[in-house]
Amino acid sequence: MRISIIAGNWKMYKTEEEAFLLASDLKRRLNDVAGVKVIICPPFTGLSSVKKAIENSPILLGAQNMHWEEKGAYTGEISSPMLLTAGCKYVIIGHSERRNLFFETDDAVNLKIKSALKFNLSPIICLGEKLDQREANKTEEVVENQLRRAFKDLSVQEAEKTVIAYEPVWAIGTGKTATPQQANEAHLFIRELLSSEFSRECAEKINILYGGSVKPENSRELLKMSEIDGALVGGASLDAESFEKIVRSAT
Ligand code: PEP
């Protein structure tokens, strides 16, 4: 039985103090919540204040990116052990903004996933097609290629510790959402791929989240689909009331 996950990706928003205030508000609102895992992913500079704010609450901490090396001369980068000791349990890897704006490759995604797993961080691995790829009927080809390359050389035990976020690029931050049926179809395809790459049992254990303009107005419809095991929420996670509503729609 998979427990739904609602993860908030705060992107490059919130100063340290603003992050503390938002996380404190979420702790107050979500303290009684059960039957759903809640993760918030502030920018690196907010990790420490958010960690303090969510102490003794069910909310878990995640980061938005990392480098695959443990340490070294990589100016501006952050490693898995750094995230782990900062209190993170999760890390988003391969978000489309990183792939498209910062030229992150599938090979880099694969290295990052392996490093996260080595340090007991669960990677939230983002996959998804662009609009022109969907229009050219290439969604499955794109997603399959991203998935196979992301999971290259992972063991079944490692794969089971991952979370996948299917995020059609055309739906991120655009206000356009995939219909529940479109999303469910893509999730089903991803689960079949996981089953053929690893095993049916392994595929059944992996949460597949949907991401792309999830809001309180559409979350319930999306989350009731059989293959949608939660949501990765960008814009709407920056507002405590909206995020609370999305979390509650998963319970
Ligand atoms: C995201 O950042 O992963 C995301 C899905 O953003 P939004 O909810 O704003 O579309």
Side-chain angles (χ1 to χ4, degrees), residues 62-237:
Q64 299 175 19
N65 182 32
M66 49 166 271
H67 194 271
W68 57 85
E69 293 291 348
E70 284 173 40
K71 56 183 158 189
Y74 301 102
T75 303
E77 295 289 338
I78 300 264
S79 71
S80 322
M82 291 172 186
L83 294 181
L84 191 69
T85 51
C88 293
K89 301 271 185 252
Y90 290 85
V91 56
I92 298 171
I93 292 182
H95 191 280
S96 63
E97 285 153 14
R98 296 227 49 91
R99 292 178 189 261
N100 299 326
L101 302 175
F102 302 101
F103 313 109
E104 197 160 296
T105 63
D106 288 311
D107 291 341
V109 167
N110 176 251
L111 289 170
K112 290 180 182 199
I113 293 168
K114 287 178 182 156
S115 173
L117 289 166
K118 183 172 166 199
F119 289 93
N120 265 331
L121 290 166
S122 295
I124 301 175
I125 305 161
C126 301
L127 314 168
E129 79 288 0
K130 295 182 183 165
L131 184 59
D132 58 326
Q133 294 167 328
R134 174 161 282 263
E135 285 174 350
N137 279 327
K138 290 201 166 146
T139 298
E140 292 191 350
E141 186 185 321
V142 170
V143 168
E144 176 166 359
N145 190 36
Q146 287 175 337
L147 185 136
R148 289 199 193 281
R149 295 181 67 179
F151 282 79
K152 188 164 172 281
D153 301 328
L154 258 61
S155 66
V156 170
Q157 291 74 17
E158 287 174 321
E160 284 174 356
K161 294 186 186 122
T162 67
V163 174
I164 292 180
Y166 168 64
E167 300 206 305
V169 180
W170 48 271
I172 298 180
T174 58
K176 282 186 203 153
T177 321
T179 63
Q181 291 71 22
Q182 277 174 327
N184 204 58
E185 238 172 61
H187 286 216
L188 197 57
F189 176 71
I190 290 170
R191 203 172 309 282
E192 290 307 320
L193 280 177
L194 290 168
S195 180
S196 76
E197 262 317 89
F198 299 101
S199 67
R200 170 58 53 189
E201 208 193 342
C202 170
E204 292 298 337
K205 287 186 184 159
I206 299 176
N207 278 68
I208 308 178
L209 317 184
Y210 168 77
S213 298
V214 174
K215 304 206 168 356
E217 300 76 44
N218 58 27
S219 58
R220 196 171 293 280
E221 289 304 302
L222 286 158
L223 292 168
K224 74 178 185 203
M225 302 305 286
S226 61
E227 294 301 321
I228 302 185
D229 309 316
L232 179 55
V233 186
S237 72

